[in-house]
Amino acid sequence: EMAGAVLYVLVYLFVASSFVWLIDKMNVLNPETKTASFSFYFLQPIAPFVFEKAGAILPIFKDAFED
């Protein structure tokens, strides 16, 4: 049960990070909001990191979060 809970937390963090990354790339948030946010700087780098590591295994994911 504990492993399942940890897995769900990791999946949630990845989904939230992808959402935050997308909002950032669409320039929806102004810089003041980003600066004031605690979760933005915590969540934003997770999805690109996961896709970078997944790209080492499956090359299709390698450039998924590139500009």
Side-chain angles (χ1 to χ4, degrees):
E1 291 179 17
M2 185 62 138
V6 170
L7 180 63
Y8 273 105
V9 168
L10 292 175
V11 168
Y12 170 76
L13 287 173
F14 176 71
V15 170
S17 175
S18 298
F19 183 67
V20 168
W21 178 83
L22 184 61
I23 287 174
D24 184 40
K25 292 301 173 188
M26 291 172 44
N27 294 320
V28 173
L29 298 175
N30 61 28
E32 294 83 23
T33 305
K34 291 182 205 178
T35 303
S37 173
F38 167 77
S39 60
F40 178 81
Y41 290 104
F42 173 73
L43 290 173
Q44 196 271 340
I46 295 173
F49 174 79
V50 170
F51 271 97
E52 178 184 329
K53 297 304 175 190
I57 299 168
L58 299 169
I60 193 168
F61 294 121
K62 188 173 186 174
D63 297 325
F65 280 85
E66 292 295 318
D67 289 332

